[in-house]
Amino acid sequence: MNETPNTTPSEPELTLAEARAQLAKARGRNYWRSLEQLASSGRFHAMMEREMPKQAIAVSEWDPIDRRDFIRLMGASLALAGLTACTKQHEEKIVPYVTAPEEIIPGKPLFYATAFSHGGYGYGVLAESHMGRPTKVEGNPDHPASLGAADAFVQASILQLYDPDRSQAHLKLGRSATWNEFARDIEAALSPLSNGAGFHILSETVTSPTLAAQIRAILEKYPQARWHRYSPVNQDNALEGAKLAFGSPVSVRYAFDKAAVVLSLDADFLSHGPGHMRYARDFMARHTPELGKKMSRLYSVESSPNLTGAQADHKLSVRASQVEHIARALARGLGLNVALGDTTGHDEWISAVLRDLKRSRGEAIVIAGDNQPAIVHALAHAMNDALDNHGKTVELIEAVEADPVNHSASIKELSTAMAAGSVKVLLMLGANPVYNAPADCNFTDALAKVPLAIHHGLYFDETAKVSHWHLAATHYLEEWGDVRAFDGTATIVQPLIEPLYGGRSAYEVLSTVLGRSSRKGLEIVQEYWKEASNAGDAFDSQWRHWLRDGVIPSTAGGVQKAVAKSGFGSGAPAPLSSEFEFIFQPDYGVWDGNYANNGWLQEMPRPLTQVVWDNVLLLSPQTAAARGIKSGDVVKLAVGSREVEAPAYVQPGHPDNAATVYLGGGRTAAGRTGDGTGFNAYAVRTSEQPWIAFGTLSSTTSSVDVVTTQEHHSLDGRHLYRIATLEDFIKDPKWVQAYDEFGQDPTSIYPGFDYSKGNQWGMVINLNACIGCNACVVACQAENNIPVVGKDQVRRGREMHWIRVDRYFGGDPANPSTALQPVTCMHCENAPCESVCPVAATTHSADGINQMVYNRCVGTRYCSNNCPYKVRRFNFYKFADHTTPSLKLQRNPDVTVRSRGVMEKCTYCIQRISVARIAAKKQGRLVNVKQDGLQTACQQACPTRAIVFGDINNPEDDIAKLRASPLSYGMLIELNTRPRTTYMARIRNPNPELEGSSSAPQQGEPV
Amino acid sequence: MSASAPEKTMGYVEIPEVLDLHHTYDTATDKINDVILKKKTPVPIAVAMGICFLLVGLLFTTITKLVSTGIGIWGNNQPVAWAFDIINFVWWIGIGHAGTLISAILFLFRQEWRTSINRFAEAMTIFAVMCAGMYPVLHVGRPWLAYWLFPYVNVMQMWPQFRSPLMWDVFAVSTYFTISLLFWYTGLIPDLASLRDRAKTRVSRFITGVLSMGWRGSARHWQRYDIIYLLLAGLSTPLVVSVHSIVSLDFAVAQLPGWHTSIFPPYFVAGAIYSGFAMVLTLAIPVRSYFGFKDFITQRHLDAMSKVMLATGLIVMYGYAMEAFIALVYSGNPNEAFMMKNRMFGPYAWSYWMLITCNGVIPQLLWFKRVRLHTPTLWVITVVINIGMWLERFVIIVTSLHRDFLPSSWGMYAPTKWDIFMFIGTIGFFGFMMCLFLRFIPMFAGFELRELLHKKKSPPH
Amino acid sequence: MSETDSNPSLYAVIAEFSTPEAMLKAAEKVRDAGYTRVDALTPFPVHGIVEALGIPKSRMAGLVLTGAIVGCIFGFALQTWLTVYQYPHVISGRPYFSWPNYIPVIFETTVLFAGLTAFVGMLVRNNLPRPYHPIFSAPRVEDATTSKFVILIEAADPKFNLKETTEFLRKSGAEFVGEAPFEAADTERNRAPLLS
């Protein structure tokens, strides 16, 4: 910092705020350009001179400052991700997951077990670290909620770590401040309060034992203090339902692998909820046809098209408010004492389902969705009880959430207190209520009445902007902590990297509140577990095991014996209303808005709609037609006096006279990526009607373009996706290949290449198992450094995803069957792309992989034209961000970052294959995928193991068996491409009594 | 006829169709040479040049933008990875064909009427191929590496891939350009010589002297000259057929429905000649009136060329008919059938029916002699045909690509302003080169005209 | 005849005619008179002049054919060598030696080589390009590229005798007979303005 500022007197001084303002204006690549301009300007140097001394103090407290750190922080202090290129290994001892050498071998990644928390619940993960630089997150096979899978949120969390928009300094009234200042301020603010009266803490769902213990400690120290909780997507209804049914807030753990019949009452258990990955795995284990195994059957009552409904053997698409009435009818059918609601006109369906349920007592599951009222949950519990599923397919465990409360009530209570002026100090941990609090709370106005509002979060978000203090939080890969999974299993969260931007964890915040500001996360967490485990001297070795395994044994919630009370349903329900109905759903991509600034999630095609970069309002084709609304038209939705405008999207299978409203859009302070995407549905979401709201929908004159990655929804009579009922399949097992005009092996004038020797790679995608969650898409993006191209480029059809999940509708548009088909490079043995490349930039390897040679590609795009599967992706521009340093850190060092003008596509994760091959070669043997633990990124991420990769020459390999199955077929093999990636046809297991009814999906006539 | 009395006979020979026989060797030659030797540039040429120059500027702007930011500025996408770039490439190449055809094939067939348009048509060929050549180079993602398509010895020890139709294109187009240029230049040598001998200034004499390479019309030279001119014509004839056949293989070899068809080579060649003749007329009609060359390019020429267009036009229509028949009926392939239905009734149906109208319906007017001899109408028809032939390539490329095997990957294509700039830019470039040619190079094969004049005046005894 | 009465600075004598027919007649006379170092300059190829002057037939065709054959072999050899030996790759499961794919390129190289041979061959055999030739300094010879037909008899011809030859040519119907010296005479064409 010795160089003298070359600032000219004519230039006015640049202030921190001004600089941030300048940067905030800029967008995307443009932003970085302007950043460099800024950084090179004389005014910048001058300002650094001014700002630095303050930072120097801030630094010196928490570690000895050397020049590199100094420069690093100098950058951080200015919201310059641009300058924080250098990172450090954490000092404390953390333990590799595998028995890898303690010291890092350059080029060899290490994996550490930790846990990602989503909606407050933990998902065990293994974080891949290259030279102390986390680059990817995989599922932890030993963790009950993951079993090795990792959904889109888990995958994308790595990008959040390196997000240049993360808040990079503690701010007091908008100016960077030190931790000590905060400690002083909070102490000064709390001491005058008698017993902490007026001290309120707002957190999201908390399952962390340590954090809960800390808060309890605070509540002991300040008996009058209050702890509020609010997650916009919460389990309130489940909680209240459990109270109704059992009198206590128990959690439920389902065993779908034991269930022969599953009835979902508007529950999207395959893609939502703390246990969804585990549930999907278990469910599919039973729902895929296997010899000598009884295939389970899924009935789904859904108020909005969801992934569970897409898998259903029978789907009933009804308005959300009807579900309760159907549930009552079912309950009554099972002989429970409940008042019947109005008739819904589905009696035949209901009775058929009842018969099926009764046939499978003890191996059925009735599950209610989080957006259904408490009564439906209670009824579900009662039905499970009546079918005596308890203890078999359904287990009650003590609540996983610490001191569970009703979030809506809790936030309401807080805002009332704030409005009344009785809140003196408000500490908000991670929450962003200004954006997502129920509209009727008027949270923002109420917050203005709070003398000291402290916000702790990853981003300088909507709430942070109007708070007095903003404390930069640590990302879970930067902090020590713990978290519990859906079944209660606890995991220690261990950091892989020193906080990039000098953030502090919630544990450290609370510790500071307790007056011990110097304590670090590790001490805090260890202290709790020392006590909890009372292992004494053995603790250290135990601790090491916990860290290594990623789970703390026997922390799963203990099974509760409880019997459902009766009588809760005896009161008659509200009659069916014909009012227009809005169903609030978390967005499949940005969830409740938390992930709005995550490019991977924004660009991930939302399952079923394939919409990117926006949250939309879904309407049924009938409703849309009746109101003359087309996809992309802007509609105005009004709930009570509140209104918001949203882009409509017409979705086949949506119930009529209702609309699904996705949350998570319309952020104003999410960051450069998230701002201005979608619309803010919280504006009309109230604490009384958080999930199902009645209101009015009116069309406006304006329209926007809603961008999707798939414009055509019909299979157009082509046999690309093959599906049949179990019966038909048993009648004619050869049915699948019957479609192939020229048989399985069309003749060619060329002898063809000999692939009979060595490893020959292939992939099988099991259409029975695929639930279309898009975990594979994001996993691939993370593994292969696939760039984000932005809404406009996607609109032009230039998305870069190497694997995509195609979605087709068949049958009746009112209640269509949904076909979900992952498509990636087929690695055809006779690849049409190869022969047309004039420079041999794409050729075939001896192990049967269709390779892309980036350096050789000149970009004629002929290969893409000649690819029947259209899986090739072209860099029309320099899509990869070569400029943002923090994003460079995230990249997988084993994969080339493609530049402008070259073609790219799926490589079967050739970098992983190479690692395995090298290992195998050393021992002079062929690769064995099981022995070498070789998996492609998509395969590893898949919650349902729908993707199987392996050596087709190895008869022991799973893939060999699958390819031999009668269900196996290749797409477009009549072109004699001889694809290495093949599919397993889908088998449905409909109830013979209902077959033919509209609820049974037919195979694909055009919609 | 006696050698002593040619002057006397001159006045009494009646006018043949291909040439005004009032001309003597001198007047004919001077008329050609004067365009070049006289100081003033004719106004129409000057104006045309000015406009074209602006368009050339636009072309270079577009190319700069293209190379500096990437072909993303075009409308190309997935699945339509080829669009205007290849459409224009094929269109220009097609236009080029008329030149070679006229100079080579009609030469072999001893068609007298070719003599007064061949130089002109050959020039057109060369400039059209130049325009065409820009596209394959600039449409690739990394134009600065386009030279990798040539098999040259390099330290990377890498070589091109000869199974790719694009490699065949590289050879076909470069060979075509080279041979056309040689053929053209060979024809020019004697005329440059006569230009040299008529030059008024030392500078013009020097330039023409250098270009004519000291040609003096020696009998020995003429003997060899005759032979190689014939041979070059013989070589160009299969070449002109091969070039567009190979271009058509870019599509025929691919397996995309709408591309993968064996009738493409003949159908492309016919189309090329069709558009080529149309372009020759589009240019020749104004030129003959502005420069007063009606006595060299007579109605007879227009009539003959119209007939060629009518014939090739019918072949092309037959091609469309067969294409539809094979796809819908004969192949029994659902993908093929869908492709054709999509062409006729899909989102791009307008382009298909416009194509049928421009290439199939309107040119049928050429059956009538009155239309053939009514120059303005004829000119309009030729322009319509040029549009039609462009649409043909649009239909083949875009409507086939935008909906292929997997409905999930179907998409739409729309050109951006840069696509259009690039196209009209090349048109400007073509026009500019034509203007330079008309101004500075003999636009008629003088020695062949003199030969023809001699043949006409004194039929061999 | 003897060298003494011939001017060493003289290149040739030229006779000008205004129709090919007249020139042909004269040419036959010249040939019959036994002149061997003769040539004709014409504004377009005049058929029969070669025979009339007794000039030997050219062998261009054979040359071009050779070029074609070389080109054909080159095209085949190049592709075979590259795809089979030098740069073998598995492409679309086709064999390395997938000869049907070679045909288009082979054709093109054949034509290219033949064409180049033809053009270059013609120039070389004609000793072109040739910046200066003594004939250029002959009077009125510039018309030979547009309208006049010229027969020339070189001074180096064994039968050459300035007086006799000139007389002989005049008799054979030439409209003008002139002498072409070796050095360029200072004609007024050479004094023409640089640029007008």
Side-chain angles (χ1 to χ4, degrees), chain A residues 718 796-798 804 806 808 832 835-838 855 857-862 864-866 870 876-877 900, chain B residues 67 69 71-74 76-78 81-82 85 139 141-142 148 161 164 250 254-255 338 404-405 408-409:
Chain A
R718 305 177 184 203
R796 295 168 185 271
R798 295 170 180 176
R804 61 175 195 261
D806 287 349
Y808 303 105
S835 59
V836 297
C837 176
N855 331 32
C857 178
V858 298
T860 67
R861 306 186 298 294
Y862 199 176
S864 167
N865 290 342
N866 209 29
K870 288 287 174 283
F876 284 91
Y877 286 116
R900 166 195 149 193
Chain B
V67 174
T69 56
I71 65 154
I73 64 171
W74 288 344
N76 303 42
N77 59 25
Q78 306 284 355
W82 283 356
D85 43 4
H139 98 291
R142 305 199 286 174
W148 282 358
Q161 203 278 95
S164 167
D250 288 348
Q255 59 179 329
F338 171 83
D404 66 341
F405 295 95
S408 64
S409 309

Side-chain angles (χ1 to χ4, degrees), chain C residues 8-96:
Chain C
S9 73
L10 182 70
Y11 164 65
V13 176
I14 61 160
E16 183 186 291
F17 307 82
S18 55
T19 69
E21 292 75 12
M23 179 191 65
L24 279 169
K25 278 213 188 58
E28 282 156 11
K29 293 208 188 76
V30 170
R31 183 193 58 206
D32 301 343
Y35 289 100
T36 51
R37 305 199 56 161
V38 294
D39 197 355
L41 310 181
T42 58
F44 57 82
V46 175
H47 296 289
I49 184 68
V50 179
E51 297 74 8
L53 285 175
I55 296 169
K57 281 238 151 289
S58 93
R59 299 188 304 281
M60 285 306 296
L63 192 64
V64 174
L65 176 65
T66 324
I69 293 167
V70 172
C72 180
I73 294 168
F74 172 80
F76 178 79
L78 176 77
Q79 298 182 80
T80 314
W81 175 63
L82 288 181
T83 51
V84 180
Y85 304 101
Q86 171 63 26
Y87 201 57
H89 278 291
V90 184
I91 302 290
S92 303
R94 296 184 193 175
Y96 294 139

Side-chain angles (χ1 to χ4, degrees), chain A residues 327-339:
Chain A
R328 284 173 177 274
L330 285 159
R332 177 68 77 84
L334 290 171
L336 295 169
N337 160 32
V338 293

Side-chain angles (χ1 to χ4, degrees), chain A residues 750-753 755 829-831 834-835 842-844, chain C residues 87 89-96 98-101:
Chain A
Y750 285 119
F753 199 78
Y755 290 113
E829 287 182 5
N830 300 342
E834 290 169 356
S835 59
T842 179
T843 63
H844 236 68
Chain C
Y87 201 57
H89 278 291
V90 184
I91 302 290
S92 303
R94 296 184 193 175
Y96 294 139
S98 34
W99 60 269
N101 297 295

